[in-house]
Amino acid sequence: MEERNKLIQRRIEKLEEFKKQGMKIYRNDFLPDAFSGDLHSAYDDKDGESLVKDNVCVKIAGRVMAYRSFGKAGFMKVKDFTGQIQVYAEKNSLSEEDFKLYKKLDVGDIIGVEGCLFKTKTGELTIKANKIVLLTKSLRPLPEKWHGLQDKELRYRQRYVDLIVNDEVKETMVKRSKIINAIREFMIKNRFVEVETPMMHKLVGGATAKPFVTHHNALDIDLYLRIAPELYLKRLVVGGMERVFEINRNFRNEGMDLKHNPEFTMMEFYVAYKNYLFLLDFTEELFEYVINSIGLDKTNIQFGDNTIDFSRPWKRLDFFEGLKDVGGLDDDVIKDKEKALKLALELGKSVNKDMSLEKILAELFDALVEPKLINPTFVIGYPVAISPLARRDNDNPNITERFELFISGMEVSNGFSELNDPFDQKERFLKQLEDRKKGDEEASMYDADYIRALEYGLPPTAGEGIGIDRVVMLLTNHDSIRDVILFPLMKDRDDEE
């Protein structure tokens, strides 16, 4: 730390020296006309002689990532958002002032360079500088071996440094953007309308989760950051917007781990006159479109130690059959709350005797079945007790027309035929309200306005939520959600400045 502080002090002294010389330090009047990546694409294949003959002169700007000085000449690597390009600086080609500036540059400084292209003896495309401008002085030295840092959390806390020195991180975030764009394109191609719904709610609903609470001073009321946009989106379907989707943030006041961040991105969409069986095929088509858009092989996508095959059709597994065939449970455990509770507790699950048998079975499914679902698998036939907003199955009123999609042991989406019976929905809201009074902070509140909306008539509707962060994890081979979120929430540390 002491050595680092000395380096910072030296850079500050250089800054003060530049100021005394009348140099503009934080200027914005240098306008580049080229990007390094484009220059490589256009000229890497050209031979050096023709390049000099064509006299291609450019203006680039970026951050100094490497610096080598040999007295009267030297080389730099300058990086912009498209890549890096080499710059050659020599005393005879620069003004005395510019060459002095070059000699005092540090790795991390942001500069502008004017010059003409040529190729070195090793064939590397290079700009021979005839002008160098300091645009921003970097006061903190970049880490020399960012990949070797033992404290990986520092990369998340100082993502700006991570992005400067780790191209893989930038590539992941660019791919994330392409994935979201592909999802949006697919939805629009299928005549869905993108909408925005409130992110502050008066009531908690649309999912099972503990909310964050805030307060609106002017109205003097508590509000909840939304845990899901579901009930607002279905109101839009009632209003005649029969195909809607939203890609936006949800907030859940829960623990953080490899798969969970309290603030996360989800897409929810609803389509009238369809049921959950339509969603199964539609989800397969969506993934196929996205995978093709980013140039991956759908039959061979690596995620950690698993190789995932996204070829259609995907497996469909009944919830109770999964507990038996994959989880290895006998009927006596599945049908006996006491035995199920005992086993769940032995497995370390957060369960208690006040929970319904179905909720306990869901915890057992989480522990015994989900980790074994590697290739895309739709789990269907969920009990009504753990599906408060899903329509009952026409043939078996104890289960719902609902599915969850699991890939590499991770839940990626949840969808169902929507419950549009206002009487049934009211009954389930009341049951959730009872659970809330018993201390279940994740249970939904009673939403009278939503019941009123259903009384106007919600057409037969299918809806689904897809976890965007987890999709990005799968398609970029990152096992931590923090690796695909630019600024994940982090616990404060005592050693932070």
Side-chain angles (χ1 to χ4, degrees), residues 82-295:
T82 66
Q84 294 189 28
I85 193 164
Q86 183 166 265
V87 173
Y88 175 64
E90 67 172 359
K91 189 171 185 179
N92 293 338
S93 300
L94 292 166
S95 69
E96 182 179 349
E97 183 183 68
D98 284 3
F99 189 72
K100 284 181 180 179
L101 169 63
Y102 160 72
K103 296 289 285 184
K104 289 185 177 295
L105 289 175
D106 291 303
V107 170
D109 287 346
I110 299 173
I111 63 172
V113 176
E114 288 186 36
C116 300
L117 297 178
F118 77 103
K119 287 198 172 178
T120 62
K121 292 179 181 179
T122 60
E124 182 170 355
L125 185 68
T126 306
I127 300 173
K128 184 177 182 180
N130 55 47
K131 185 175 182 59
I132 297 176
V133 178
L134 178 64
L135 302 177
T136 302
K137 179 65 185 167
S138 174
L139 301 181
R140 288 178 177 266
L142 297 176
E144 293 180 10
K145 295 183 179 179
W146 189 253
H147 288 285
L149 287 179
Q150 296 299 310
D151 185 3
K152 190 178 180 183
E153 284 196 0
L154 191 58
R155 291 174 58 182
Y156 305 135
R157 295 175 186 278
Q158 298 180 12
R159 184 67 89 187
Y160 40 88
V161 182
D162 195 15
L163 286 165
I164 292 171
V165 298
N166 190 345
D167 287 338
E168 181 189 343
V169 176
K170 185 193 74 174
E171 289 165 8
T172 295
M173 299 309 169
V174 170
K175 188 172 282 188
R176 176 189 174 102
S177 177
K178 291 179 179 178
I179 290 168
I180 293 174
N181 283 338
I183 291 172
R184 179 173 280 113
E185 285 174 4
F186 180 82
M187 299 304 292
I188 292 171
K189 284 177 186 290
N190 282 276
R191 303 187 69 180
F192 282 79
V193 177
E194 185 170 12
V195 297
E196 293 179 329
T197 61
M199 298 178 76
M200 293 192 295
H201 294 178
K202 292 182 180 179
L203 300 169
V204 178
T208 301
K210 185 178 179 181
F212 288 95
V213 185
T214 186
H215 188 79
H216 190 287
N217 290 332
L219 296 178
D220 194 23
I221 57 172
D222 283 341
L223 295 170
Y224 304 93
L225 296 185
R226 78 169 176 206
I227 59 173
E230 178 170 342
L231 300 185
Y232 280 98
L233 289 172
K234 287 194 284 193
R235 283 173 168 91
L236 296 179
V237 181
V238 170
M241 298 185 71
E242 295 173 355
R243 293 190 173 212
V244 293
F245 77 101
E246 181 172 11
I247 301 175
N248 215 319
R249 295 286 199 278
N250 290 332
F251 306 86
R252 297 182 183 178
N253 199 349
E254 56 191 14
M256 298 184 291
D257 57 28
L258 292 178
K259 299 176 184 177
H260 295 88
N261 190 69
E263 176 184 359
F264 62 98
T265 302
M266 178 179 269
M267 178 179 76
E268 279 205 23
F269 66 94
Y270 293 86
V271 51
Y273 309 111
K274 301 291 184 182
N275 59 30
Y276 83 113
L277 296 175
F278 163 82
L279 295 178
L280 302 180
D281 294 330
F282 189 79
T283 303
E284 291 179 3
E285 293 172 13
L286 169 61
F287 270 81
E288 187 171 69
Y289 184 89
V290 173
I291 289 169
N292 288 338
S293 294
I294 60 175

Side-chain angles (χ1 to χ4, degrees), residues 329-380:
L329 297 186
D330 297 326
D331 276 338
D332 59 341
V333 175
I334 293 174
K335 296 178 180 179
D336 189 313
K337 178 179 173 180
E338 203 169 294
K339 291 180 180 179
L341 177 62
K342 181 182 177 184
L343 178 57
L345 289 170
E346 289 173 356
L347 292 170
K349 305 303 290 184
S350 298
V351 294
N352 59 67
K353 59 182 178 59
D354 293 328
M355 294 173 67
S356 66
L357 171 61
E358 292 84 359
K359 283 192 175 182
I360 296 170
L361 291 178
E363 293 293 327
L364 290 174
F365 194 95
D366 176 77
L368 300 174
V369 183
E370 291 178 17
K372 300 175 183 178
L373 305 179
I374 305 304
N375 282 332
T377 303
F378 291 116
V379 176
I380 59 177

Side-chain angles (χ1 to χ4, degrees), residues 17 28 34 53 63 78 86 245 291 348 429 461 467 480 491:
E17 185 180 336
N28 68 345
K53 184 179 178 181
R63 189 182 295 272
V78 178
Q86 183 166 265
F245 77 101
I291 289 169
F429 271 160
T461 298
S480 172
K491 183 179 179 180

Side-chain angles (χ1 to χ4, degrees), residues 470-485:
R470 294 185 181 183
V471 172
V472 177
M473 288 170 63
L474 288 165
L475 299 184
T476 60
N477 194 15
H478 287 291
D479 63 0
S480 172
I481 195 171
R482 293 179 178 182
D483 289 328
V484 300
I485 296 176

